[in-house]
Amino acid sequence: MSDSPFSVTAKHDMTSKEYADAYFNLQDKGYRLQCVSGYEEGSAIKFAAVWKKEIGSPLASFHQLTGAEYQEKYNFYDGQGFKLTFINAFRAQGKIWYSAIWEKKDGPDVKGFHGMTSQEYNDKYVSMKNSGYRLRCVSGVDGGNQAYFAGIWEKTSGPSLATHHMMTSADYQEKFNDYGGKGYRLSHLQAFVADGKDYYAAIWEKNAGPAQWAHHRLSEPNYQTMVLNYFYQGFTIEQTCAYTLNGKTTFAARWSPGKFSVTEIKKISDKVDAFLKKHELPGLTMAIAKDEKLVFARGYGYADTEKNLLMGPQHIGRIASVSKPITAVAILLLAEKFPTKITLNSKVFGSGSIFGSDYGTKDLSANEKAIQVDNLLEHTAGGNVWDNNDVQNQSNASPQAKEDPVSYDPMFQYPGMSHSELITSVIDDRDPDYPPGKLFAYSNFGYCVLGRIVEKISGESYSSWVKNNVLKPCGITQMTIAKNDLADKKPNEFVLYGQDGEKPYGSDCTRMDSHGGWLAAPIDLVRFAVRVDGKPGKPDIINAASFAAMTSSTSYATNPVNTARYGKGWTLTNGGFQHGGDLPGMKCKLAVRNDGFTYAILVNSRVIDKDTKGAFSSDFDSLISNLISEIGSWPEYDLF
């Protein structure tokens, strides 16, 4: 399992007790400690570690030893047939501490030394090499007035080694690039701080192993992002090292790829990076499933440019109208659970309807009384006067609509109105200019009404019912309704960036809840989609009849006015279905294809297409589809 991301787990920000608890918990699950790194955070001592799921001989591990305690343990375990395999020296609370791992095994002789100055370490390296020993591990630590080093040597032969123990950040990066070009692979990396500067100790071996990825000077949030970015590409983390630089926790780590071709991964990265550069976008996050298995997810660019936060698969953002499929599934589930209260043919307004006299202060028109639930789902309820366009300029708008002085999307008008006040206003003042089912006119307002139907039938708030009955059964826990202001964004929510004068934080997302208010990560959108796709791999949360209704268009079947081939919450496409969404500062798409692929993509800016900027919408819509067609082979594992 060494090439599977599931065989390795990494944890950080652990207190001594939390680390000990994790150690024994993971040991019980078959994981073996690979490395442990201590560091100081504020006045507290914290730990970061990597475990691998594998069978092996007994281990002995200690994570906070003084120099004297370490030497005592070394002597004891050496006498018991254990061999030292890892050592990390770190400075915290004004003292030097050691973390170490011993393994009980036969094999070549192993020797460990610590407390060496740089010159003493150099001398030891030469003498041990002359005696037939190879360096396996090296760690540096700030001793107050100079750096001290600890190392492990093994008496064995092997491929050519290259090792350096006091490299600056620039030195280390140069060596990494140089040795990589000469066929060397990084086998060990540790970082430490001395005199307020970060230094790196590393070992390279010349062998023909797989390509490697390594990063250093990662902030804590960016380290977490990189761990997730690599996990969802099928990589395994080999080693991590935490240190405190300029008062902040910082990480260096290395990864090895798994079953997904490095060439194919690079092809994806190159195309996404080119797309971001072409359209001057800060960041993008995406997820791809094949045959209902999550095979790839990653963030590119930045979630927050001012804070230099990288984008990752864990980041959530506004999904705008991709909220509509979620609302549609909620309605279908309500019809399954409460068939005596709601069907797709239920009337919405007026006597004997779902709402009765809840909304409106005037007598309802015949068109308003005729509106059914399926009309709202398919955007054929309100004609031009309910849609999201300026109907005064639409060629098919009725004279009534063209004369309407208030002809823009009501969901973006009347700031300060509650849902109830807004619906009453529209019912009183915007009589549908076509009978229900006779004209397709994409309507945010119609989906606002559907959200209130969820509340009426369920007796709960829209978001609460959806979270418990739609999202939770799909395994989704972090989706929520967006707040309106940047200051109120969620911890994992990426920042929106306006272009061409757009103001991303001017939308009333709270009121947009059921038509455009959700926050989500692409992984969760795909997780939702594969549970409503009618396929046998993962059990759907809706029944077969609901799926059939969701992917059909009543209005198109009876009268081809639904030119968009819009089903119930989705645009129908060649045996598949999809939905897009965009608002100032973002664009989103969720697609279920007929070839087994499902994907979601989110960007944290958008371009109003101009000749000088290129065809942003076209490039956005085709980006992942083009990638899917160009990738020769996808891995078989399921990263869900």
Side-chain angles (χ1 to χ4, degrees):
M1 295 180 66
S2 61
D3 62 349
S4 168
F6 302 108
S7 67
V8 177
T9 186
K11 295 179 180 293
H12 69 285
D13 194 31
M14 296 177 286
T15 64
S16 179
K17 183 181 184 306
E18 289 169 339
Y19 166 76
D21 290 344
Y23 179 90
F24 290 112
N25 180 50
L26 288 166
Q27 179 178 261
D28 290 343
K29 295 178 180 179
Y31 286 82
R32 290 165 56 82
L33 183 66
Q34 304 297 302
C35 65
V36 54
S37 176
Y39 58 100
E40 189 173 43
E41 189 171 80
S43 60
I45 298 178
K46 297 291 188 69
F47 296 89
V50 174
W51 288 264
K52 182 178 290 187
K53 194 169 189 178
E54 61 183 6
I55 298 172
S57 52
L59 293 181
S61 172
F62 299 88
H63 59 284
Q64 191 176 337
L65 300 172
T66 64
E69 290 170 338
Y70 161 71
Q71 188 62 58
E72 181 182 351
K73 297 294 184 186
Y74 178 88
N75 295 338
F76 173 79
Y77 283 106
D78 186 59
Q80 297 296 314
F82 283 76
K83 299 183 185 298
L84 184 65
T85 60
F86 178 84
I87 188 170
N88 165 242
F90 64 98
R91 187 177 184 85
Q93 297 179 348
K95 299 178 181 180
I96 294 177
W97 306 92
Y98 294 88
S99 300
I101 305 172
W102 286 265
E103 183 176 355
K104 189 168 187 178
K105 61 180 182 180
D106 296 327
D109 184 42
V110 172
K111 293 188 181 299
F113 302 92
H114 71 287
M116 296 175 286
T117 65
S118 180
Q119 184 59 54
E120 289 170 340
Y121 167 79
N122 275 327
D123 294 343
K124 182 64 68 176
Y125 179 85
V126 172
S127 67
M128 294 300 288
K129 181 179 179 181
N130 291 337
S131 299
Y133 286 79
R134 291 168 58 83
L135 183 67
R136 288 305 192 194
C137 179
V138 56
S139 177
V141 63
D142 183 3
N145 58 350
Q146 62 181 313
Y148 290 91
F149 295 88
I152 301 172
W153 282 263
E154 183 180 59
K155 192 167 189 178
T156 184
S157 60
S160 176
L161 285 183
T163 177
H164 302 271
H165 66 283
M166 200 161 185
M167 296 175 286
T168 65
S169 174
D171 292 338
Y172 163 67
Q173 188 62 61
E174 181 181 354
K175 296 294 184 186
F176 182 87
N177 296 336
D178 181 50
Y179 286 125
K182 295 177 180 178
Y184 285 78
R185 299 183 73 251
L186 186 67
S187 63
H188 178 79
L189 171 65
Q190 290 211 38
F192 62 100
V193 174
D195 297 326
K197 299 177 182 178
D198 53 323
Y199 294 94
Y200 301 84
I203 303 171
W204 287 265
E205 290 190 0
K206 192 169 187 178
N207 60 45
Q212 291 180 299
W213 274 255
H215 299 271
H216 64 290
R217 281 190 172 179
L218 289 171
S219 66
E220 189 165 6
N222 281 346
Y223 168 71
Q224 182 64 40
T225 292
M226 293 309 298
V227 168
L228 293 171
N229 270 336
Y230 281 121
F231 175 85
Y232 285 109
Q233 293 178 100
F235 283 58
T236 56
I237 187 168
E238 300 288 346
Q239 187 182 351
T240 187
C241 178
Y243 51 107
T244 304
L245 180 62
N246 298 325
K248 296 182 179 179
T249 302
T250 310
F251 291 83
R254 59 187 179 92
W255 288 262
S256 292
K259 295 180 179 179
F260 199 4
S261 164
V262 172
T263 301
E264 303 286 43
I265 288 174
K266 187 176 185 303
K267 186 184 297 184
I268 295 173
S269 294
D270 288 347
K271 288 188 174 296
V272 173
D273 289 342
F275 169 76
L276 293 177
K277 182 177 180 180
K278 176 180 178 180
H279 297 292
E280 301 176 13
L281 306 174
L284 175 155
T285 179
M286 58 189 278
I288 302 173
K290 183 178 184 293
D291 300 326
E292 298 190 305
K293 298 176 181 178
L294 183 67
V295 294
F296 185 88
R298 188 184 161 173
Y300 299 84
Y302 291 89
D304 187 329
T305 58
E306 291 185 2
K307 295 182 179 180
N308 198 39
L309 295 180
L310 300 174
M311 184 77 86
Q314 82 278 21
H315 283 110
I316 59 175
R318 297 181 182 183
I319 63 172
S321 286
V322 179
S323 301
K324 291 181 174 68
I326 296 164
T327 298
V329 168
I331 292 292
L332 292 166
L333 280 171
L334 282 171
E336 291 180 21
K337 294 175 182 289
F338 305 105
T340 61
K341 293 183 178 181
I342 180 174
T343 69
L344 297 183
N345 301 123
S346 294
K347 294 293 192 294
V348 177
F349 301 107
S351 177
S353 70
I354 291 173
F355 289 127
S357 59
D358 288 354
Y359 299 110
T361 62
K362 303 175 183 179
D363 291 338
L364 298 176
S365 70
N367 285 346
E368 289 169 334
K369 291 178 181 178
I371 294 171
Q372 298 182 167
V373 172
D374 60 352
N375 301 136
L376 295 172
L377 289 166
E378 296 180 13
H379 300 290
T380 61
N384 291 293
V385 298
W386 282 21
D387 78 357
N388 67 336
N389 296 307
D390 181 357
V391 297
Q392 291 179 350
N393 296 317
Q394 288 182 226
S395 60
N396 65 349
S398 65
Q400 168 204 334
K402 288 187 175 183
E403 292 173 2
D404 187 347
V406 183
S407 59
Y408 192 61
D409 188 339
M411 294 310 303
F412 296 96
Q413 294 181 316
Y414 317 113
M417 278 191 179
S418 66
H419 286 130
S420 179
E421 291 168 336
L422 180 65
I423 295 173
T424 291
S425 173
V426 172
I427 291 297
D428 283 349
D429 300 331
R430 295 193 182 192
D431 184 27
D433 58 333
Y434 281 83
K438 296 301 181 182
L439 177 74
F440 174 83
Y442 186 87
S443 174
N444 289 317
F445 176 73
Y447 270 74
C448 171
V449 174
L450 287 168
R452 313 297 64 84
I453 289 176
V454 171
E455 294 176 334
K456 182 75 173 183
I457 300 299
S458 71
E460 299 180 35
S461 71
Y462 164 79
S463 63
S464 175
W465 199 86
V466 170
K467 286 179 180 180
N468 290 326
N469 295 275
V470 178
L471 304 180
K472 187 176 180 180
C474 296
I476 300 169
T477 58
Q478 70 169 341
M479 284 182 61
T480 191
I481 301 298
K483 298 293 185 182
N484 300 335
D485 300 322
L486 175 61
D488 297 324
K489 76 178 186 69
K490 299 293 183 181
N492 273 350
E493 183 181 350
F494 56 64
V495 176
L496 305 177
Y497 296 90
Q499 296 194 36
D500 301 310
E502 286 193 321
K503 296 180 179 180
Y505 293 97
S507 302
D508 188 351
C509 291
T510 304
R511 196 174 73 174
M512 292 161 53
D513 58 357
S514 53
H515 77 80
W518 284 99
L519 289 170
I523 287 177
D524 283 335
L525 291 177
V526 173
R527 199 187 302 269
F528 161 74
V530 301
R531 297 297 299 276
V532 298
D533 62 0
K535 297 174 183 176
K538 287 183 167 60
D540 281 1
I541 62 170
I542 54 175
N543 63 30
S546 292
F547 174 77
M550 183 182 76
T551 53
S552 65
S553 170
T554 304
S555 58
Y556 189 87
T558 58
N559 181 4
V561 297
N562 190 340
T563 55
R565 291 304 302 270
Y566 198 94
K568 295 170 181 64
W570 303 87
T571 298
L572 309 180
T573 57
N574 300 320
F577 42 96
Q578 65 182 35
H579 212 294
D582 65 291
L583 286 167
M586 59 75 54
K587 193 172 181 68
C588 180
K589 184 177 182 180
L590 173 61
V592 179
R593 299 177 14 150
N594 63 1
D595 59 358
F597 285 97
T598 299
Y599 69 83
I601 177 173
L602 257 171
V603 293
N604 59 349
S605 187
R606 71 173 181 179
V607 179
I608 304 302
D609 283 330
K610 297 179 180 179
D611 292 339
T612 56
K613 291 290 183 79
F616 168 66
S617 294
S618 175
D619 289 350
F620 178 86
D621 285 338
S622 62
L623 178 63
I624 296 187
S625 290
N626 289 343
L627 285 172
I628 288 172
S629 66
E630 294 175 18
I631 300 301
S633 178
W634 295 87
E636 293 296 324
Y637 48 58
D638 186 357
L639 295 170
F640 280 132

